[in-house]
Amino acid sequence: MSNTSDDQAAVVLGQQLHSFRKARGLSLRALASEVEVTASFLSQVERGLCSPSLASLRQLARVFEVPVFQLLVELDVGHPVVRSGERVTIQLPEAPVVYELLSSGTARAIEMFIVRVETPHVNLVRRLSTPTEECLHVITGTMNIEFGDKNYTLNAGDSVTCDGMALVSIMSVTDEPLVMVVAVTPPSF
């Protein structure tokens, strides 16, 4: 039995991917070559029949020069208000993390989101293709963050600002769920 929510997400991803590919005048074969997958696979993704891995999503986002969020959801960037019950929420299958987009759309100069981590000792840092500046504010839990040659422990109420390219690790260090608000410029998710 298929999951309607997953089916809808696959359709949205497929539509977004098709739109980005066509807007850039790329054939399935040309895009597949850049992302190192088959044209047949990309065709299935565009038709909502299957979903790419997180690594492939990141490659696609890199090729299209957009945050991963922009491939996964249709966003109404014309409305400046994001209601709490209407936030875009992403839970990637390869990570025990939930992201809730707080900013309206990804075509802005800054991206804000809530990160919820249930599993301790999982590194949340992902390799970035463009430089970013990031500010993280811990709401609940305790985390360690390492960037450059510095390592800090942050508790609820603490904040840190850093260069995203210098990030080595961000992880929850207790069994208590870690919840933080993150601001990133330019958007990079």
Side-chain angles (χ1 to χ4, degrees):
M1 177 177 238
S2 68
N3 181 326
T4 305
S5 177
D6 289 346
D7 292 346
Q8 175 115 10
V11 169
V12 168
L13 171 61
Q15 291 169 343
Q16 295 289 83
L17 180 58
H18 181 80
S19 294
F20 279 110
R21 182 176 64 78
K22 288 296 187 182
R24 284 159 181 78
L26 293 171
S27 68
L28 279 170
R29 196 164 274 160
L31 179 58
S33 175
E34 285 199 55
V35 182
E36 299 178 356
V37 297
T38 66
S40 172
F41 175 72
L42 282 182
S43 175
Q44 290 178 30
V45 172
E46 283 191 3
R47 291 180 286 141
L49 301 176
C50 65
S51 298
S53 69
L54 179 56
S56 293
L57 277 175
R58 288 181 179 152
Q59 284 290 89
L60 289 163
R62 180 192 54 77
V63 168
F64 295 134
E65 298 177 334
V66 299
V68 172
F69 257 121
Q70 204 162 339
L71 295 176
L72 298 172
V73 294
E74 295 175 302
L75 299 172
D76 179 8
V77 296
H79 199 286
V81 176
V82 178
R83 304 281 180 206
S84 64
E86 299 171 359
R87 290 185 191 135
V88 171
T89 302
I90 304 271
Q91 182 165 12
L92 303 171
E94 299 170 20
V97 181
V98 176
Y99 300 90
E100 289 182 50
L101 190 61
L102 297 173
S103 45
S104 61
T106 55
R108 309 257 186 217
I110 191 167
E111 180 177 69
M112 289 191 67
F113 46 93
I114 295 173
V115 179
R116 298 178 194 282
V117 184
E118 297 292 330
T119 307
H121 310 293
V122 174
N123 189 355
L124 304 177
V125 172
R126 45 193 216 300
R127 298 284 174 230
L128 299 175
S129 57
T130 58
T132 62
E133 185 169 353
E134 305 190 18
C135 180
L136 297 83
H137 176 76
V138 179
I139 303 295
T140 64
T142 301
M143 67 175 243
N144 277 346
I145 182 167
E146 181 181 351
F147 55 92
D149 60 352
K150 308 263 192 248
N151 190 333
Y152 301 95
T153 298
L154 280 71
N155 298 300
D158 295 341
S159 300
V160 63
T161 302
C162 61
D163 171 359
M165 298 293 276
L167 282 169
V168 175
S169 71
I170 300 172
M171 63 179 64
S172 174
V173 293
T174 65
D175 290 333
E176 180 184 3
L178 173 65
V179 178
M180 60 184 159
V181 175
V182 179
V184 179
T185 186
S188 67
F189 192 93

